[in-house]
Amino acid sequence: MSRQGKMTESPRMLHKKKKFSMYPYIFILPAIALMGLFTIYPFIRTIVLSFALTNKMGNFSSWVGLRNWTRVLKKESFWSIVVTSLKMAGVNLVLTFSIAMIFALMANKKVRFSKLYQTMYALPMAIASSPAAAIFIFIYRQKNGLLNNLLGTDISWLNEPSTAIWAVCAVTIWMHIGSSFIFLLVGFRNVPEDLLESAYLDGANSFQRIRKIILPIASPQIFFVLFLSVNSSFKTFAQIKLLTGGGPADSTMNLVYDIYKKALIDQRFETACVEAIFLFLMLFLLSRIQFALEDKVVHYQ
Amino acid sequence: MKKMLALLLAAVMVLSLVACGGQEGSKETTAKTPNTDPAATTVAETEPPRPAGTIELVWWTNYGEKNVALLQTTIDKFNESQSDYHLTIEYQGNANELMAKLNATNKDGLPDLFNHAAQRIGTIIDVNYLAKLQDYIDKDPDGAAWTKGTYQALIDAYSYEGKLVGYPNGYSYGVVYYNKDMFAKAGINPADIHNMNDLYEAGKKLVDGGFCKKAIGFHPSGYYANCMLAYDPVDTFDAKNGMDGRVTKCLYMDGGDAQKAVTAILDYYKKLYAGGYGVPYGANWNSEVVPLIASGDCAMGMGVISQANNLIKNIDGKFKLGVLQVPAATNGTETAGKGAAIGGTGIFMANTGDYWKMKGAYEFIKFMAQGEYTSNFSTGTGYLACSDAVYQSDAYQTYIKDTFPGIQDIYDHLKVADGSAVMPFNGVVTEIENQFKSAIEKIAADPSLDVMSVQKTLYEEVQDAIDLYNASNPVK
Amino acid sequence: MMKPKTKKKIKDRSAFIVKLLIGILFMLPIIIGLLFSFQTETDLVSYPLKFFTANPTLEHYISAFTTIPILHYLKNTLIVCVIAITAQIVFSSLCAYAFVFFDFKGKEFFWNVVLACMMIPGEVTIITNYVTIQNIGLVNTYPGLFITSMIGGTSIFMMRQYYKSLPKDFKDAATIDGCGELGFLFRVATPLSIPTISSLAIYLFVHIYNQFFWPLLVANDDKMRTIQVGISFLVTSDVTDYGRILAGAMVTILPSVLIYIFGQDYIIKGMTSGGVKG
């Protein structure tokens, strides 16, 4: 891997390196300033506020140390929200990834007009959550809803705790398959043709070719996709807001939606901060685990 | 080097954060106890110079487009009738979204007028967002005249410490709609339904007798639970449900009447859903419950009176619609249930501190309260007439006769209503309603749950919310 | 017995048809939205629902366009997108360029800042940002809407990948020829990076066009709302007019779908150029 910016050594180069230039600082200024103001500052503020009480405006009121954290972590309702988040994320991850894999394998070979179905598999990722939720509300309607029509059932998909969570996850999965699919597809297409050809000539069937050649060679890409998916599988917000509002009986209440609810509807800003930091730590931990597993699973060329 | 920089950065952030918090704290007048300092919101003694031109006013609302269309005619008339002020109404989302917007807005970003749920006034009084309408009425020579005749029950509900704080243009009421024809066929007398147990029995009779598939559907909100408690009547919080000062204790587990009442409510839902008599709790009122009632599949619906017109439209004359007050939690005696728990939204003036804008806001409320405009709004929506003048108007009488004769029952009750129904008044009403809704949802989804454990969780969450509120908004 | 070549042909053809059918099935929600948005109100509540109606109607589209300011929402969204995308491309190019072609004090520190920003989820920052925007007085303004989208870690990463892919001696050769720092950036590196920039632009468009939470907070009145928020109010409104909701949804997804279909090669290239290399 190339080291960033280090030029090949030569007397002239060494001389150049020592020269002080204002340019880099000017160039990174807008980016760093914006990120500092809109990402770093809020992040630190959120951490700090999680140790304080906030008033109605969301501003600092008084220090309480760890009491916010103990209060939140003691509550059974908080842990059930965490469990729901993990459940939804798990379902999202597994189904998005598997279907994206299948699609990518299906669309791998470029034939005439394969672009057609390749576009179809990825298209839902261009659909925003609002219109997607709008369409699915129509589909999930109980009285004379489309899904009930097709299945001949009379289920209130969004109002029964047993079905609501699947209904919401279905929308998320549908929207997210596209991006995973594209990444995987590119990874698969990078596998050298001749390797596959020779394997075919050696008598390997499709499954063997997939398992022994495509998957290992594309494993960095697969790992990357998994990594992105884990992050995004937690982040379901608009669908929940529009489809179920966290209900019924909090069965579709995930951490992100609860943060919104606590901060803006219940006006409990410090609790929202605690939960936000908790979410961040959870994601951070998961990413650490993933990177630790990377060496065991990924084969680099 | 890196670590030092990072630490330095963090320290700077923390310092700026605390400093910022202090500054913003002083931007709004200090958080007050219920005993608000009147000087802070009275009309200024000397008038500042009036800015030139038409003053723009803004009204933030959660009224949907149908209601906004009705209000727009009034607003247009107001704008046409004078050139001092020009009012625009803006939709900000549903009630929760509107409240969230208001809460997150700095004082100088506030609109001039806004809607707010009557029972949630407590959540904004403490931060001094509210300009007391009474102050302006007192300063206005015509003041007493235009508020005369407004039903006393409403004036009481929209007053705080004896001062009217808003105007009940969207006077609503928790009710149970019922299919009059079906009730008659099944031999059920609505006048016999006093408490939740009676409601359950009626529903059971209807379903078991094959008159309908489901007994009742619900507009999902904890507001109705508070209604049931108010009609008992029973205080569920100390300080006389918050009317006498800061609420500190939640009484859901007090071992006395409050606890019994809450249990009765949760028990109702447990029985209802255990028997499969209820439409799934949480179903969308407009798109799912209303069609069921209109088609006769469902006998009753617990909602608010402002939903009447939509329901009537869907029923399309197939049967007569009746309406009765939300039953009390436990009591069925004649003395109980005599109050009228007010709901709905009122229009309020924001305490923006801008003298002329606030004056303009007052002028609009006064304009809008005139009989013809409010009756226009009431007949168009189903919101109740807020004064006798409106009730007696031709438009409204026609409405009763032609559209919704059943509403007369409500007025008959209102005439004899006393002030005994007190909704809880504190800074966390939203959370209380949401927690109740959650508790009911849990039981509705799994009727095998133990009511006491759900009640205990409900109590803990509500008490927690109160404690947290009091800790972060100290009485000054 | 069929010739093996024909057998293969049939196999390939059927495989193609199956994949195509699965594709159509996968797009079903979009198709449903489209088909039912043209059905009359009575058709939409009639039982059983039919996919194809005998009486197609444009009434919901007309209703959508007249009752809510869809074109206005689209205009707002477009303004926000154009400014945010341009800003992101410019700032991230500059930033990435600095990191790749310069060695300066604090470089590692600042790079870590960039990496940290990529890891911080939006949920943690969004509400504080709203408070900040309020304090600056940018609520309900275009700057308030686009300012938080003017930079992103992904963009910096993508541009960095691109600059790193340039031959190392490239810059030296150019500057020796008397190009100067800025000259190299503007006259050589940037024009060459147009494909990457195009990919980034299209990728960002879909991303920013679909933003929901932020515009929900920042835009107070209808004049400033973006399309996603405007449509969501249709869904949660007191009148559940399915025809109009579907029509509104179709209008909303049209731009992003079209851009995706025609720009997908760019998008794919952009998305994957920042990916893992072996």
Side-chain angles (χ1 to χ4, degrees), chain C residues 23-45:
Chain C
I24 296 181
L25 208 66
F26 191 59
M27 294 235 303
L28 206 54
I30 304 177
I31 299 176
I32 290 176
L34 195 61
L35 288 177
F36 283 96
S37 65
F38 289 111
Q39 293 193 9
T40 58
E41 201 57 44
T42 31
D43 274 341
L44 285 173
V45 295

Side-chain angles (χ1 to χ4, degrees), chain C residues 85-255:
Chain C
I85 293 175
T86 313
Q88 266 212 45
I89 291 180
V90 169
F91 295 152
S92 56
S93 297
L94 286 175
C95 191
Y97 182 77
F99 280 119
V100 172
F101 288 108
F102 287 94
D103 229 358
F104 51 95
K105 208 148 86 142
K107 178 164 155 179
E108 219 188 309
F109 169 70
F110 285 118
W111 182 246
N112 281 318
V113 169
V114 173
L115 285 180
C117 286
M118 282 182 76
M119 284 212 303
I120 297 175
E123 296 75 25
V124 177
T125 58
I126 196 166
I127 291 169
T128 307
N129 282 341
Y130 180 62
V131 175
T132 309
I133 294 289
Q134 266 197 85
N135 291 334
I136 307 181
L138 286 180
V139 176
N140 216 32
T141 60
Y142 284 123
L145 283 170
F146 61 65
I147 198 168
T148 50
S149 309
M150 283 168 86
I151 193 65
T154 332
S155 311
I156 299 181
F157 236 84
M158 237 194 242
M159 293 315 294
R160 177 174 170 270
Q161 291 298 106
Y162 164 73
Y163 285 130
K164 270 173 64 175
S165 71
L166 290 180
K168 288 197 205 71
D169 304 320
F170 217 46
K171 185 184 170 200
D172 305 336
T175 46
I176 288 172
D177 284 346
C179 215
E181 295 291 357
L182 288 179
F184 176 70
L185 173 63
F186 289 123
R187 274 189 265 141
V188 184
T190 306
L192 279 177
S193 66
I194 298 239
T196 314
I197 288 183
S198 312
S199 312
L200 183 57
I202 297 183
Y203 170 77
L204 284 175
F205 175 80
V206 174
H207 191 67
I208 297 179
Y209 181 80
N210 290 346
Q211 269 184 347
F212 178 68
F213 202 169
W214 181 249
L216 180 69
L217 287 178
V218 171
N220 278 342
D221 62 64
D222 248 16
K223 291 201 293 283
M224 296 306 297
R225 294 213 167 105
T226 60
I227 188 81
Q228 305 299 340
V229 178
I231 294 300
S232 78
F233 283 155
L234 272 187
V235 174
T236 56
S237 132
D238 53 354
V239 180
T240 325
D241 182 351
Y242 284 108
R244 193 176 55 157
I245 292 177
L246 289 176
M250 288 298 113
V251 171
T252 310
I253 68 178
L254 191 64

Side-chain angles (χ1 to χ4, degrees), chain A residues 48 56 59 77 159 241 268, chain B residues 17 24 97 123 282 461 468:
Chain A
V48 169
K56 279 181 149 28
N59 287 320
S77 57
N159 288 312
K241 179 177 193 295
R268 289 269 59 96
Chain B
L17 167 67
E24 270 139 21
E97 286 164 341
T123 58
E461 294 283 349
L468 200 55

Side-chain angles (χ1 to χ4, degrees), chain B residues 17-289:
Chain B
L17 167 67
V18 182
C20 246
Q23 262 172 27
E24 270 139 21
S26 61
K27 230 197 209 173
E28 36 161 305
T29 42
T30 43
K32 305 259 196 239
T33 77
N35 302 308
T36 324
D37 174 12
T41 50
T42 347
V43 175
E45 293 302 342
T46 48
E47 265 184 20
R50 191 194 185 290
T54 315
I55 297 182
E56 289 291 333
L57 302 170
V58 159
W59 175 1
W60 280 6
T61 186
N62 60 319
Y63 284 136
E65 47 190 300
K66 277 202 317 222
N67 292 355
V68 167
L70 284 166
L71 290 168
Q72 192 63 52
T73 49
T74 308
I75 295 175
D76 289 340
K77 295 248 172 62
F78 173 75
N79 289 336
E80 284 160 24
S81 72
Q82 43 75 43
S83 56
D84 291 328
Y85 307 101
H86 184 264
L87 177 66
T88 328
I89 186 170
E90 285 168 9
Y91 177 68
Q92 295 297 335
N94 59 28
N96 278 338
E97 286 164 341
L98 172 61
M99 266 219 336
K101 253 296 167 54
L102 282 170
N103 290 329
T105 306
N106 279 339
K107 192 154 174 228
D108 47 8
L110 286 176
D112 303 292
L113 294 159
F114 60 94
N115 286 112
H116 205 80
Q119 73 271 23
R120 294 187 188 179
I121 299 178
T123 58
I124 51 175
I125 275 200
D126 282 346
V127 280
N128 220 2
Y129 273 9
L130 214 45
K132 307 270 165 61
L133 193 59
Q134 191 70 51
D135 296 331
Y136 284 81
I137 294 175
D138 292 339
K139 288 245 159 203
D140 181 2
D142 297 329
W146 72 262
T147 54
K148 193 172 72 154
T150 311
Y151 291 127
Q152 190 57 42
L154 292 182
I155 301 244
D156 288 341
Y158 278 71
S159 292
Y160 185 65
E161 291 183 328
K163 286 186 164 192
L164 192 65
V165 295
Y167 195 73
N169 75 317
Y171 166 29
S172 196
Y173 205 62
V175 293
V176 175
Y177 294 102
Y178 64 94
N179 187 326
K180 258 194 171 161
D181 300 349
M182 201 190 289
F183 264 43
K185 255 198 286 192
I188 298 180
N189 182 3
D192 290 337
I193 299 180
H194 298 296
N195 59 37
M196 296 309 289
N197 195 46
D198 298 337
L199 188 67
Y200 168 73
E201 294 295 338
K204 187 168 186 294
K205 192 167 174 200
L206 287 162
V207 177
D208 289 347
F211 296 96
C212 57
K213 290 202 212 120
K214 294 283 183 189
I216 183 167
F218 298 93
H219 174 221
S221 164
Y223 161 73
Y224 302 99
N226 277 332
C227 286
M228 298 168 197
L229 294 165
Y231 288 137
D232 236 38
V234 67
D235 280 349
T236 43
F237 294 92
D238 62 343
K240 200 161 180 298
N241 246 7
M243 297 310 280
D244 275 356
R246 267 292 174 101
V247 160
T248 54
K249 273 194 356 197
C250 167
L251 305 173
Y252 294 165
M253 295 292 282
D254 71 345
D257 287 338
Q259 179 174 330
K260 268 193 277 183
V262 175
T263 307
I265 296 176
L266 295 176
D267 249 342
Y268 165 78
Y269 286 102
K270 184 183 164 95
K271 281 190 309 219
L272 186 77
Y273 285 100
Y277 297 120
V279 175
Y281 191 85
N284 182 287
W285 174 267
N286 276 325
S287 59
E288 300 189 289
V289 179

Side-chain angles (χ1 to χ4, degrees), chain C residues 6-25:
Chain C
T6 334
K7 212 166 160 202
K8 185 172 191 301
K9 246 196 187 170
I10 296 181
K11 199 169 134 218
D12 285 345
R13 287 260 173 82
S14 29
F16 177 81
I17 294 184
V18 167
K19 292 178 188 176
L20 196 63
L21 282 177
I22 293 183
I24 296 181
L25 208 66

